[in-house]
């Protein structure tokens, strides 16, 4: 994500190899006798190792649809299997991510007006959600 963002901004992005070396040294010391392997691991594989496949297959798969703005989520096709409170949570998460990027120097056109208008909209969503699940 950071590499692609840096490329779009014309900035250099080079993960600190020294940090990675220190991390590997730390892991080797923490887990002596375990062979460290540099390889890509999928999030589902991590869930399997941790015994969290159920969580991955339910909550993660559902909410990543909103996070990645999948068409099903955007057009409301998932509304029947989500709670109205989810809209508030997703909106706050997206806003928090945008605000964090703005804080570190990214630009977001009309950010201040989005920020000013967000609270009343979330309040309206909260009132709507009090009528119970979708």
């Amino acid at each position: 994500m950071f590499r692609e963002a840096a490329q779009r901004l014309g900035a250099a992005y080079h993960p600190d190899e020294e940090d990675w070396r220190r991390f590997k040294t730390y892991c080797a010391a923490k887990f002596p006798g375990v062979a460290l392997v540099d390889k890509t691991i999928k999030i589902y594989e991590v869930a399997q190792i941790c015994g969290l496949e159920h969580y991955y297959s339910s909550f993660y798969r559902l909410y990543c649809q909103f996070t990645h703005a999948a068409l099903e989520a955007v057009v409301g096709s998932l509304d029947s299997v989500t709670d109205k409170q989810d809209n508030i949570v997703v909106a706050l998460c997206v806003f928090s991510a945008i605000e964090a990027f703005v804080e570190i120097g990214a630009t977001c056109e009309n950010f201040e007006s989005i920020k000013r208008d967000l609270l009343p909209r979330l309040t309206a969503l909260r009132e709507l959600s009090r009528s119970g699940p979708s």
Side-chain angles (χ1 to χ4, degrees), residues 24-57:
K24 286 172 64 174
T25 301
Y26 171 82
C27 288
K30 208 67 167 151
F31 306 101
V34 175
L36 297 180
V37 179
D38 284 339
K39 78 172 212 168
T40 301
I41 185 168
K42 296 182 179 189
I43 188 102
Y44 184 70
E45 292 173 300
V46 173
Q48 286 177 309
I49 292 166
C50 298
L52 296 172
E53 301 98 324
H54 175 72
Y55 180 84
Y56 177 92
S57 294

Side-chain angles (χ1 to χ4, degrees), residues 4 6 10 14 23 29 42 46 49 61 80 84 89 92 106 108:
E4 290 179 19
H14 306 287
F23 175 71
K42 296 182 179 189
V46 173
I49 292 166
R61 283 192 177 165
S80 64
K84 292 177 183 178
V89 172
L92 284 171
C108 176

Side-chain angles (χ1 to χ4, degrees), residues 37-102:
V37 179
D38 284 339
K39 78 172 212 168
T40 301
I41 185 168
K42 296 182 179 189
I43 188 102
Y44 184 70
E45 292 173 300
V46 173
Q48 286 177 309
I49 292 166
C50 298
L52 296 172
E53 301 98 324
H54 175 72
Y55 180 84
Y56 177 92
S57 294
S58 56
F59 297 104
Y60 178 82
R61 283 192 177 165
L62 173 64
Y63 292 109
C64 76
Q65 300 301 302
F66 292 94
T67 303
H68 299 292
L71 184 59
E72 270 186 314
V74 172
V75 299
S77 295
L78 299 176
D79 290 356
S80 64
V81 294
T82 61
D83 186 277
K84 292 177 183 178
Q85 292 290 339
D86 297 336
N87 294 324
I88 298 167
V89 172
V90 171
L92 284 171
C93 289
V94 169
F95 178 76
S96 295
I98 294 169
E99 186 173 41
F101 281 118
V102 168

Side-chain angles (χ1 to χ4, degrees), residues 1 9-11 14 19 24 28 36 46 62 70 76 89 92 97 103 107 115-116 118 126-127:
M1 178 180 92
L9 295 170
H14 306 287
D19 286 342
K24 286 172 64 174
L36 297 180
V46 173
L62 173 64
V89 172
L92 284 171
E103 287 294 319
T107 58
K115 190 174 180 177
R116 181 188 67 241
L118 183 65
R126 187 185 74 199
E127 294 303 317

